[in-house]
Each structure stands twice: as structure tokens, then as C-alpha cells.
Amino acid sequence: MEASILQLFPAALRPFWSGISIREERLSEIRLRVGRPILLVENGRELMVDRSGILTLHKERARCVTQEEIQALVQHICHYSVYAFEDEIRQGFITVPGGHRVGLAGQAVLNPDGEIKTIKQISFLNIRISHEVPGAADTVLPYIYEKGVPGNLLILSPPGCGKTTLLRDLIRQVSNGNPYGAGMSVGVVDERCELAGAFLGVPQNDLGMRTDVLDACPKALGMMLLLRSMSPQVIAVDELGGSDDFRALLSAAACGCRILATAHADAPDSFFRRSGAMQLWQERLFRHILLLGKEDGKPVVKRVYGEEEIYAADNWSDYDWDRMSGNGSVLATKAMRTDTGSHDFTEHSGRIDEWN
Amino acid sequence: MILQSILEELMSGIEYARFTLPECCAQAAEHFPSPYREGLSSVNTEMECNRGVAFGQVFLYCMGKALQQTALAEEDRAAFLSCFEKESPADSRLQLFTLRKGVETLSGIQKQLEEDRQEKSRVAVGLGALSGMFLIVLLL
């Protein structure tokens, strides 16, 4: 079968990329910048490509990308119908068959109200290669299930540590059922089209047999819509952002839904410092927090925070509560204590490695 | 007339559902008789195969082949196929404008053809009448 990343390229570029596409399983990113060398990210390591498609570490030998190639690539990715991807371009990425995501940058064109209308002169592409890892959540499941149902879970990590990969497998296992609980109906709000990797409405990744996906919809809006229309038992969202998302999460939890969510943060305290996030802490929304990181370039679960630790008052004693619950500006002076009560996942269950 | 209808069908696919051009062809194929149906659906099938060939080239090849089986004038065919020669613009309004221009060009050609035909028929009638009169004069 032809490698799926090769399908991203128009015919003229395929001979060059055919050798690179063989390494698809190991690649996590392909970065293309006009007038700059092609960069491949493989197991956290950057590699360049020479004119004959052979990997090199020498910048002088590296092949540079031309504006015409980027244009041809964008046209091809958009099925020669760029207008049909207006919304995706406005958001800065296009999801392609295989669930891969192509990030775009160039010159932003703004509306009179200051919002991005489109991106013109696209000169930078970041092809993020999606890797489905069935079983990635196996070692996490025993921690989050209680009496046959999953507790509300938040997965935190800096970018590129496997949050989405872990959440995707969790959704699949919760939906299909697993040794710790029967299958449950899951509603997924896939705002960035990364979880299901839907291309033209068709999910490219397996999210399980009881999963409904609302694609390319803002999370806060999508959670409310799913609650009304699909009555999910579990709601899953990727990359929580603003206070609207947090309010919607609380509403969903109040309706009896279980929550599976991820966010960019390097520790629970830096997440709860965000504007509006403190309410989640005050409402004791999450039963567990998983903190992911990288070891030797591979994603690992660094810690599992239990309820006692997340909501231990002395972890937060130095915070300015008034400002915290007010305008979101925070005087944080002390990091959340991490030396008591939490599970060291690496010791208990071994690493969740080989995701890439 | 049928070529204009095809372009209008493609336009409605873009306007109504933001379909991509290959999807528009697949949708439109259901509403037209053979060989247009086969031509349009083969455009979508070819694009789904993803051989890396641009839509314009695929459209030109598949529809060009289908149009050869019709009695349409070469001028009509060329005007129709030229709508897809250029790269797709980033704005749907521009894409619709390109197709609308194609419809107008085809309408213009049709109007011109009708006027030519009327002119020709007028000349034919005139010539017929003249030759009839000439024949009567000869017989007398």
C-alpha cells in the first residue's frame, strides 16, 4: 500500500518524497519553509534532506523548498478547491486523509473587526504526522476507572508529548469497553480535527463504536450541542483553552457526564492559574490528573495526581484567591507540591513508551 | 444549454455545501444523461485515486473525452473546459465568479449561434424566394 504521507504531495514531487515516506512510522513532523531546508523530525531529532532525497545533517547539502512547491502542495492538499478549506485555513491548519495535520503560516489578512479572514502567501507548512497507537491507554485505565466508570480526567503536558494520542486511545477504549468497565457512549468535540482526524467529514482514526464526533466546532458550543442532541455518558475534548471551555465542562459535569480532557501545561498549578480554570479546582471537577512528559525523546506518563493531592488546600495556600477568582490575573508564588501522595507512574506501571 | 446547466450545478454545490470541485462533479453526475454523467463521475473517481494530478488536467481529460461523444461545437467545448484551466482561488466567490463567467461565455456563444442560424435561415429563405421568382420568369 502506498504510504499515506506520499499522497499529500502532487505527482511532480512524489519521486523526491517517496524515499522519505518509507520512514513515515518514525516521523513526527515535516517542516517546509520557503527558501529554507526541508526539516524532518524523527524521534525528537531534526534531520535535513539533500537534493536526491537522502537524509543529511549538513545544512549546505540540504534541499530548500520553493514557493511554487508550497503552492502546489497547498492546492493538492485542498483537492484543488482551496475555497472549500477557507475555514480551516483561517484556523491555520488542514486535516488530511490519514488524520495528519498540516499547519499553515504566511501573511494573515484581517477583517475590520480584527479577526483573521484568511492567510495569503502561505510560505510555511508543518505536516504533523498522526500516529494511532492502539493500547497507549492500557496502563492508565486502572487509575481512572472506579466502580466500572471512568472518573473525570485531565491530561496535561507541554506540546508534543502525546496528549492527543493518549486521549484518542482512551476514547476508543471507553467507547468499546475494556477490562475495567463496559462500553459507554462518548461525545467528542474535535475542534482541531486531530482526535478523529476527520477529512471531509469522514473520521480517519478509530474512536470506538459508541463515539459521536462533532468536528471543527468550538469546544464550548460543541459540548452543549452534544449534550442536547446525543446525550453522551462521557464527553471528551482536546486542548482546553479559555474560560468558555471551562464553563461548558462544568455544565456537562453537572448533567452527569464524565469528562476526559487535555490541556497544555507543564504542571497542574500552571493549568489552574489560567483565567477561569480555578473554578474547576473549586468545584473539584477532576478526579485524576495525568502529567505527561518526554524521556529519551519518547512520551511517558510522568505522574498521576489523585484527588487528595489535586485538592490539598496547603498546595494552594500562597495563592491570591480574590484575584484568582476575579479577573484571572494570579499572584502565584508557590508551585503545587509534588512530593506527597501522587503515583509515580513510571515506578508502578512502567513507561507508556514507543508511541512514536 | 446542457454545458451551462452542468456549470450551474457545480456552482450550486460550491454555494450550498462548499463541496470541493471533485465532489461537485460527483453530485452533478447524477443529474445529467450519458455521456456527461460518465464524464463527471470519472473526474471524481480519478481524483479519489489521488495520482497527484491537478484537477484541471483530470477534468480536461475526462470531460474532453466525454464531450467528444457529443455533437457539440468545438467552440462550446473549449469554452466549457477553459473554466478549469487555472488554479482554484482561495475565495469561494472567486471560484463562483469563474464558473459564472463560463456560463456567460457559453450563453454568448449560444446567442451568437442562434443569431447566425436566424441570419442563415433568412438568407436561405431570401435565396429560395429569389430562385423561385427566377424560375417563374424563365418558365414564362
Side-chain angles (χ1 to χ4, degrees):
Chain A
M1 198 179 77
E2 197 172 12
S4 69
I5 62 159
L6 195 57
Q7 304 254 330
L8 300 180
F9 298 94
L13 297 176
R14 287 189 185 183
F16 175 78
W17 285 96
S18 59
I20 299 161
S21 69
I22 296 166
R23 309 172 74 89
E24 183 176 343
E25 282 306 308
R26 281 173 280 175
L27 288 175
S28 56
E29 279 182 18
I30 299 171
R31 289 188 172 266
L32 306 172
R33 301 173 173 104
V34 170
R36 304 271 177 247
I38 296 164
L39 283 180
L40 310 177
V41 181
E42 191 177 288
N43 296 330
R45 197 167 64 113
E46 276 188 347
L47 298 164
M48 286 171 271
V49 191
D50 72 8
R51 280 163 192 79
S52 46
I54 295 165
L55 299 183
T56 177
L57 292 169
H58 302 284
K59 195 181 159 191
E60 306 74 45
R61 286 188 218 157
R63 183 184 186 278
C64 292
V65 184
T66 64
Q67 183 73 59
E68 292 73 35
E69 284 174 335
I70 298 263
Q71 266 177 12
L73 192 50
V74 171
Q75 281 283 340
H76 185 71
I77 286 166
C78 296
H79 283 205
Y80 302 90
S81 313
V82 183
Y83 63 85
F85 293 82
E86 258 176 309
D87 294 337
E88 286 89 341
I89 291 173
R90 196 178 303 131
Q91 289 187 62
F93 65 87
I94 298 169
T95 305
V96 295
H100 312 306
R101 199 166 90 167
V102 182
L104 320 153
Q107 191 178 354
V109 181
L110 301 182
N111 277 328
D113 57 6
E115 285 184 354
I116 294 174
K117 189 178 169 188
T118 188
I119 298 173
K120 64 176 185 179
Q121 308 290 356
I122 295 169
S123 310
F124 308 94
L125 297 180
N126 175 19
I127 304 171
R128 286 184 63 176
I129 295 158
S130 157
H131 295 286
E132 253 190 300
V133 187
D138 285 353
T139 44
V140 171
L141 289 172
Y143 288 90
I144 65 164
Y145 266 84
E146 284 165 21
K147 295 175 186 168
V149 288
N152 295 340
L153 172 75
L154 175 65
I155 304 168
L156 298 177
S157 88
C161 292
K163 281 185 304 295
T164 307
T165 308
L166 180 59
L167 180 63
R168 192 184 294 132
D169 193 54
L170 262 175
I171 294 167
R172 190 182 60 82
Q173 299 218 38
V174 169
S175 171
N176 287 343
N178 59 68
Y180 303 95
M184 298 171 83
S185 66
V186 184
V188 176
V189 187
D190 198 6
E191 184 174 356
R192 291 176 176 270
C193 315
E194 273 197 299
L195 288 167
F199 180 74
L200 300 173
V202 183
Q204 305 289 307
N205 296 322
D206 177 16
L207 290 185
M209 60 185 281
R210 294 181 188 86
T211 303
D212 306 305
V213 182
L214 188 59
D215 191 39
C217 179
K219 282 183 278 287
L221 206 67
M223 281 188 262
M224 294 298 106
L225 198 151
L226 279 179
L227 274 175
R228 283 196 301 269
S229 58
M230 307 307 287
S231 45
Q233 293 168 293
V234 179
I235 278 196
V237 285
D238 198 16
E239 295 185 13
L240 290 173
S243 46
D244 286 351
D245 297 348
F246 304 142
R247 272 196 294 273
L249 272 188
L250 287 169
S251 304
C255 294
C257 277
R258 302 288 166 154
I259 307 291
L260 301 175
T262 74
H264 283 299
D266 55 1
D269 67 311
S270 54
F271 170 75
F272 287 120
R273 267 186 235 155
R274 287 190 196 171
S275 173
M278 183 43 68
Q279 212 188 340
L280 304 179
W281 189 86
Q282 286 167 334
E283 300 282 341
R284 300 175 74 94
L285 182 73
F286 297 111
R287 300 293 298 266
H288 294 94
I289 294 180
L290 295 184
L291 181 63
L292 310 187
K294 272 193 169 176
E295 273 177 22
D296 304 325
K298 287 173 182 169
V300 292
V301 176
K302 288 173 90 173
R303 291 181 68 92
V304 179
Y305 293 87
E307 213 176 357
E308 314 82 47
E309 192 180 8
I310 302 168
Y311 303 109
D314 60 339
N315 284 334
W316 302 89
S317 56
D318 294 344
Y319 283 88
D320 183 333
W321 291 96
D322 293 336
R323 294 189 69 181
M324 189 84 81
S325 51
N327 60 11
S329 161
V330 177
L331 290 178
T333 54
K334 181 180 165 187
M336 191 172 184
R337 205 169 65 199
T338 53
D339 56 351
T340 55
S342 70
H343 309 275
D344 185 342
F345 208 81
T346 53
E347 283 175 20
H348 286 280
S349 313
R351 294 188 334 185
I352 300 175
D353 56 8
E354 301 297 339
W355 289 6
N356 283 333
Chain B
M1 192 67 188
I2 199 157
L3 295 181
Q4 282 130 284
S5 306
I6 291 175
L7 290 181
E8 274 160 7
E9 192 76 30
L10 299 180
M11 281 162 63
S12 82
I14 294 169
E15 241 168 345
Y16 177 68
R18 271 301 158 83
F19 282 138
T20 60
L21 291 172
E23 284 177 312
C24 287
C25 290
Q27 293 288 321
E30 294 165 18
H31 304 126
F32 294 95
S34 187
Y36 305 100
R37 185 195 299 130
E38 286 77 16
L40 287 165
S41 91
S42 67
V43 173
N44 184 52
T45 314
E46 269 301 309
M47 288 305 290
E48 277 181 349
C49 289
N50 194 353
R51 296 181 222 275
V53 183
F55 176 81
Q57 283 172 267
V58 172
F59 191 87
L60 240 65
Y61 175 77
C62 296
M63 284 310 288
K65 221 164 116 180
L67 294 183
Q68 273 174 4
Q69 297 171 42
T70 64
L72 289 168
E74 186 55 43
E75 204 180 353
D76 285 335
R77 289 183 211 171
F80 175 73
L81 295 173
S82 69
C83 296
F84 302 95
E85 273 173 359
K86 287 183 185 164
E87 277 188 350
S88 144
D91 188 344
S92 56
R93 281 171 302 180
L94 272 177
Q95 183 67 62
L96 289 169
F97 175 75
T98 311
L99 296 179
R100 204 165 289 129
K101 230 173 119 187
V103 173
E104 281 166 16
T105 309
L106 286 167
S107 303
I109 293 170
Q110 196 186 359
K111 207 173 159 191
Q112 188 64 48
L113 280 173
E114 271 170 22
E115 280 174 7
D116 286 353
R117 201 179 300 134
Q118 279 174 0
E119 189 62 39
K120 277 179 192 166
S121 64
R122 265 200 299 272
V123 171
V125 169
L127 282 173
L130 271 175
S131 53
M133 283 166 69
F134 183 65
L135 195 65
I136 291 165
V137 170
L138 273 179
L139 287 172
L140 287 173

